[in-house]
Amino acid sequence: MTGSARRRTGDSRYGERVPLVAAAVCPHPPLLVPEVAGSVATELDDLRAACDTAVRRLLTTEPDIVVLLGTGPVTGPIRTPATGSLQPWGVDLDVPLVSGQPDRGAVLPLSLTIGAWLLARHHTDAPVAAVQVAADAGPAELAALADEVGGVGDRVAALVLGDGSACRGEKAPGYDDARALPYDRGVAAALADADLDALLDLDPVVSTELKAAGRAPWQVLAGAARAAGGGWRGELLHDSAPYGVAYFVASWERV
């Protein structure tokens, strides 16, 4: 990705328009996929429905490109063709970044595999791009990536994948941590209000200690939204922690 598609105006910090117009925020547990969840698939029906609503709203903005953004081993774009696999979670299911794409190509991390699966449940004629961000990415790296994400088209919609803390109770993957609930409440409020400052202020060290996989993608989203300028309206569609991991679903639109 380059900034060549950006048009010059005066409404962002670099003097260029970064045209993010909408975003959907979803978690990425493998159990979202019914084939993985098996007999407990119905336990996440509400979460799955909220994700569908967020993606549906995202696509109604008629973007000229949809960018999937989630954590991965490194920071940067994933070139097509690309495919994710749910084999590590016991299901022989491949998920291509672009539906119907014949070649496996690059490997999608879990976050973008679930994002591609969610997007495939809805029809879109818009091109799809994938961007991964390292979990330990620092402020400069996140800011640069935010500009890249916003600069891939004239009307960019972002599907942002990220979980909250994984320390909500003794059976949680990260066991119990008293900081987890206040952390997740802060994230939920920030997503509900499209509060860019609150997301950008998330502490990377605390986020790592709480195993919050969404910290870096959320901060890229906040940076891209700020660079786009204007106001943003958010709505929190779902907030739960059924397995000790916080799952948020939110819908953002530019106003």
Side-chain angles (χ1 to χ4, degrees), residues 23-37:
V25 176
C26 295
H28 53 74
L31 291 177
L32 261 182
V33 181
E35 292 91 334
V36 176

Side-chain angles (χ1 to χ4, degrees), residues 23-30 32 46-58 67-71 110-119 121-122 158-164 187 191 213-215 217-218 221 235-240 245-252:
V25 176
C26 295
H28 53 74
L32 261 182
D46 289 348
L47 175 60
R48 207 172 291 114
C51 290
D52 283 338
T53 297
V55 173
R56 193 178 304 116
R57 289 185 183 181
L58 187 75
V67 177
L68 272 58
L69 170 66
T71 53
L110 173 63
S111 64
L112 300 182
T113 298
I114 299 302
W117 180 83
L118 286 170
L119 189 61
R121 290 162 63 87
H122 305 268
L159 174 52
V160 181
L161 291 309
D163 299 344
V187 171
L191 292 175
R215 190 276 305 182
W218 298 330
L221 167 62
E235 182 180 355
L236 189 68
L237 303 175
H238 187 91
D239 176 3
S240 68
V245 182
Y247 300 144
F248 310 110
V249 180
S251 179
W252 283 19

Side-chain angles (χ1 to χ4, degrees), residues 149-255:
V149 167
V152 298
D154 291 328
R155 291 183 58 80
V156 179
L159 174 52
V160 181
L161 291 309
D163 299 344
S165 78
C167 300
R168 295 273 293 274
E170 295 181 359
K171 295 183 178 180
Y175 197 62
D176 188 49
D177 191 312
R179 299 171 298 172
L181 182 57
Y183 178 95
D184 290 332
R185 284 176 173 169
V187 171
L191 292 175
D193 297 336
D195 187 335
L196 310 184
D197 287 334
L199 291 176
L200 291 170
D201 285 344
L202 289 174
D203 189 309
V205 174
V206 172
S207 299
T208 298
E209 291 173 350
L210 295 177
K211 302 184 182 301
R215 190 276 305 182
W218 298 330
Q219 290 187 326
V220 173
L221 167 62
R226 171 157 292 169
W232 287 84
R233 178 170 55 239
E235 182 180 355
L236 189 68
L237 303 175
H238 187 91
D239 176 3
S240 68
Y243 309 119
V245 182
Y247 300 144
F248 310 110
V249 180
S251 179
W252 283 19
E253 60 180 350
R254 194 174 175 187
V255 294

Side-chain angles (χ1 to χ4, degrees), residues 142-153:
L142 295 173
L145 189 61
D147 289 334
E148 289 292 318
V149 167
V152 298

